[in-house]
Amino acid sequence: MNFYVMTLFPEMIQQGMQDSILGRASRNGVLCLDAVNIRDYTEDKHKKVDDYPYGGGAGMLMQAQPVYDCYKAIRDGIASKKGDGYGKNTRVVYLTPKGKTFHQKMAEELAKEEDIIFLCGHYEGIDERVLEEIVTDYVSIGDYILTGGELPALVMIDAIARLVPGVLNNEASANVESFYNDLLEYPQYSRPEQWHGKGVPPVLLSGNHKKIEEWRLQQSEKKTQELRPDLYDKYSRRKNLAEKLAKKNKALYADMSESLRRGLGELVYEGEDGAVVLDENAGTCFLAAFLEQAADKIVETIPIDADICQFVLHQEWLMPSMERSYRIVEKNVCRRAIYTQKIPLAVPKNVDIRRLDKSYLEEVSSHYSMGSKEYIEERLENGSIYGAFLDNKLAGFAGEHIEGSLGMLEVYKEYRRRGIGESLEAYMINHQLSKGYLPYGDVIERNEPSYKLQQKLGLKITKETFCWVVIEK
Ligand code: ADE
């Protein structure tokens, strides 16, 4: 991932990144940081980059010309590395107290970019005309005023970079998926066992990993309740809804409860009459109306400005209400398959299974008809598609969909009837189990071969059907 920082103080950025984990990642080539001095681009012979504001007022403003030319040089550099037109889509983040407040979800979203340009202001700000032309995101790191954007840029780079695969040694430490993420860290202890007359909680010395996990969760809940009641409220609402849905029908609502548990979806509505969960990153909204009369009310709770392209309707009676509010262009009736056991499946050793990278884009998209090329590219970039290799040749693949279900299972014609589909699915189930997930998949009604495979692997299939609908954007 490449970070470009437009600044009047490039040393401040370089020094901030030199040491620590980010410094190592940068030396290893996982990250690249380019601090570009805006002053190098001024046309003023005295190297001036600021001037008085029109209309009067205190202080000086950074002028449009050096900022724009600095940006243009970075953008042209990106375009020449990656191909024409590329730099035009690069996000430009302007650090300003007037921006949207930075948070973890924003870091996760930005970590998916290949290049980001940061613009650090100084003095009283920057000429509005250049901001209008180049800035895509206005971001603040909190409600206080700093002397410039360099520290905020470093804060953002640190939070984003640690999410980039390969930056942290231990990948699990950046695992952001779980509603436990709404909780504060549990207390930790290191040697010696006694210090200032204080011991270590005995459970941590017990070697019982299950008990240790339980204790840590309890401690996290307690600390969050005490110190951040706002976070605790969010956490308990998500947790309660996930539990309530699982009690009602674990398999039918596995998509909603897993979306909440894995930290993908937000709780939009929860009541006696139904529930709504929105995963904006996946463009998917999940609806449940427990009572037929509640259908209109449930549909009305969908946020109008949300970026949604598909819905999962868990009851048939939601359809008329949906049709009154949206133009539906595609509809697929499905049943849910879930793997409820905790023990991993035995994966037959008939193939070698490996994660696929972006170099497989053409091959995967030519064999998979249920998603666009852009979607497959996103899934490959996310590391969510795995391939089965026979004699080093790709024989099929399977993956995790953006909203969390297992699927995309495809075995090439010439390799069918050899148990490769079974190996791929068993592998994916184990992969999700290792992340603490409840593995589930959506099977299109009447896909008999898929039902057979699910049953063979021990998955339960719902008698209830539900509906995936795609709407006109
Ligand atoms: N520049 C000055 N103060 C700032 C803040 N709080 N966040 C982002 N940029 C800033």
Side-chain angles (χ1 to χ4, degrees):
M1 178 162 195
N2 306 305
F3 297 107
Y4 302 87
V5 184
M6 297 165 63
T7 169
L8 291 174
F9 299 96
E11 302 81 29
M12 203 171 156
I13 300 290
Q14 275 146 0
Q15 275 160 14
M17 280 277 290
Q18 195 157 287
D19 303 311
S20 80
I21 295 171
L22 300 194
R24 187 190 61 201
S26 161
R27 284 186 292 279
N28 292 345
V30 183
L31 297 178
C32 179
L33 175 76
D34 196 357
V36 188
N37 195 341
I38 298 172
R39 201 175 294 280
D40 290 346
Y41 292 88
T42 179
E43 285 170 356
D44 182 89
K45 60 176 185 293
H46 304 293
K47 291 269 169 205
K48 208 166 72 81
V49 289
D50 60 330
D51 213 327
Y52 295 101
Y54 281 117
M60 305 287 267
L61 274 190
M62 279 166 70
Q63 292 166 287
Q65 176 275 316
V67 172
Y68 187 75
D69 287 356
C70 177
Y71 158 74
K72 192 119 181 351
I74 295 173
R75 202 185 84 177
D76 291 348
I78 298 174
S80 72
K81 258 198 297 193
K82 301 206 170 129
D84 238 11
Y86 209 102
K88 284 199 187 103
N89 302 326
T90 306
R91 308 260 294 253
V92 178
V93 177
Y94 174 43
L95 288 314
T96 164
K98 289 184 216 152
K100 254 198 198 163
T101 310
F102 186 53
H103 49 71
Q104 190 63 25
K105 270 234 163 1
M106 208 190 280
E108 285 161 29
E109 190 221 325
L110 288 167
K112 292 184 192 141
E113 300 288 329
E114 220 169 306
D115 303 276
I116 305 179
I117 303 174
F118 292 93
L119 170 59
C120 304
H122 258 271
Y123 314 119
E124 289 308 309
I126 302 181
D127 190 310
E128 190 68 19
R129 292 167 296 185
V130 67
L131 299 179
E132 279 169 9
E133 276 195 29
I134 70 171
V135 174
T136 58
D137 303 80
Y138 292 75
V139 182
S140 161
I141 60 157
D143 290 338
Y144 39 81
I145 319 273
L146 301 165
T147 53
E150 284 73 15
L151 287 174
L154 284 170
V155 166
M156 285 187 70
I157 291 171
D158 194 283
I160 296 166
R162 67 183 283 284
L163 303 173
V164 174
V167 170
L168 297 183
N169 274 336
N170 173 7
E171 264 199 46
S173 7
N175 189 356
V176 288
E177 298 164 330
S178 147
F179 58 33
Y180 302 136
N181 242 49
D182 288 332
L183 292 178
L184 303 181
E185 270 275 18
Y186 44 80
Q188 303 244 53
Y189 303 84
S190 182
R191 277 194 281 197
E193 225 177 282
Q194 286 290 328
W195 184 82
H196 279 199
K198 291 179 181 145
V200 173
V203 62
L204 299 179
L205 309 172
S206 70
N208 183 333
H209 293 293
K210 194 164 176 282
K211 282 244 146 44
I212 293 173
E213 290 238 319
E214 282 167 11
W215 180 86
R216 285 181 165 163
L217 178 59
Q218 257 173 22
Q219 292 292 314
S220 281
E221 286 179 341
K222 193 167 150 235
K223 273 239 155 356
T224 314
Q225 204 166 12
E226 275 166 26
L227 300 174
R228 289 289 305 272
D230 55 325
L231 276 189
Y232 186 77
D233 181 54
K234 208 171 141 209
Y235 162 78
S236 51
R237 275 165 32 89
R238 289 158 75 86
K239 187 177 168 201
N240 291 343
L241 177 58
E243 282 170 1
K244 177 169 144 185
L245 291 169
K247 243 190 231 148
K248 274 195 185 288
N249 189 330
K250 186 168 175 162
L252 181 64
Y253 297 121
D255 50 354
M256 294 176 84
S257 48
E258 282 297 289
S259 178
L260 290 167
R261 224 161 64 81
R262 299 180 197 177
L264 301 172
E266 289 298 324
L267 190 161
V268 171
Y269 174 77
E270 199 253 297
E272 284 301 304
D273 49 359
V276 176
V277 171
L278 170 64
D279 179 347
E280 231 178 331
N281 182 45
T284 305
C285 188
F286 304 93
L287 307 185
F290 307 138
L291 308 166
E292 190 165 352
Q293 315 81 283
D296 281 345
K297 182 181 155 195
I298 297 299
V299 170
E300 273 166 29
T301 65
I302 301 166
I304 34 170
D305 51 353
D307 196 6
I308 307 170
C309 45
Q310 53 203 354
F311 290 88
V312 183
L313 311 180
H314 290 79
Q315 283 79 22
E316 234 171 75
W317 54 63
L318 279 160
M319 191 56 97
S321 310
M322 280 296 294
E323 279 170 338
R324 281 193 288 278
S325 304
Y326 298 90
R327 218 179 85 72
I328 292 169
V329 292
E330 199 185 316
K331 189 171 128 185
N332 281 305
V333 177
C334 300
R335 285 181 205 278
R336 165 107 355 95
I338 66 165
Y339 183 78
T340 51
Q341 296 157 64
K342 297 270 182 286
I343 348 142
L345 286 159
V347 183
K349 298 238 179 305
N350 52 354
V351 276
D352 183 21
I353 299 180
R354 300 198 290 268
R355 183 179 272 177
L356 299 182
D357 64 21
K358 249 172 80 176
S359 64
Y360 287 93
L361 176 60
E362 292 304 324
E363 181 162 359
V364 173
S365 34
S366 70
H367 283 91
Y368 186 67
S369 58
M370 300 279 287
S372 66
K373 199 165 173 183
E374 291 76 47
Y375 179 64
I376 293 163
E377 187 172 13
E378 187 281 333
R379 290 290 80 200
L380 286 169
E381 259 171 19
N382 201 60
S384 300
I385 304 183
Y386 287 76
F389 291 83
L390 245 178
D391 302 325
N392 257 331
K393 281 208 199 100
L394 192 59
F397 51 83
E400 190 178 290
H401 282 292
I402 189 166
E403 86 296 342
S405 64
L406 290 178
M408 309 177 96
L409 180 61
E410 202 63 49
V411 177
Y412 303 169
K413 244 196 190 116
E414 61 272 33
Y415 293 106
R416 290 189 187 152
R417 304 195 172 280
R418 300 195 207 180
I420 295 175
E422 193 181 332
S423 303
L424 275 165
E425 186 166 334
Y427 183 92
M428 292 307 296
I429 286 174
N430 292 352
H431 179 65
Q432 286 208 331
L433 284 179
S434 73
K435 294 199 276 185
Y437 293 177
L438 170 70
Y440 75 90
D442 297 347
V443 184
I444 292 189
E445 220 192 5
R446 288 192 279 279
N447 183 348
E448 293 307 328
S450 178
Y451 288 129
K452 269 198 198 125
L453 175 61
Q454 311 311 322
Q455 272 156 348
K456 193 166 176 198
L457 288 168
L459 281 87
K460 287 195 183 129
I461 294 164
T462 54
K463 55 179 190 312
E464 299 89 355
T465 58
F466 58 91
C467 200
W468 269 93
V469 298
V470 179
I471 57 163
E472 192 178 70
K473 287 298 288 171

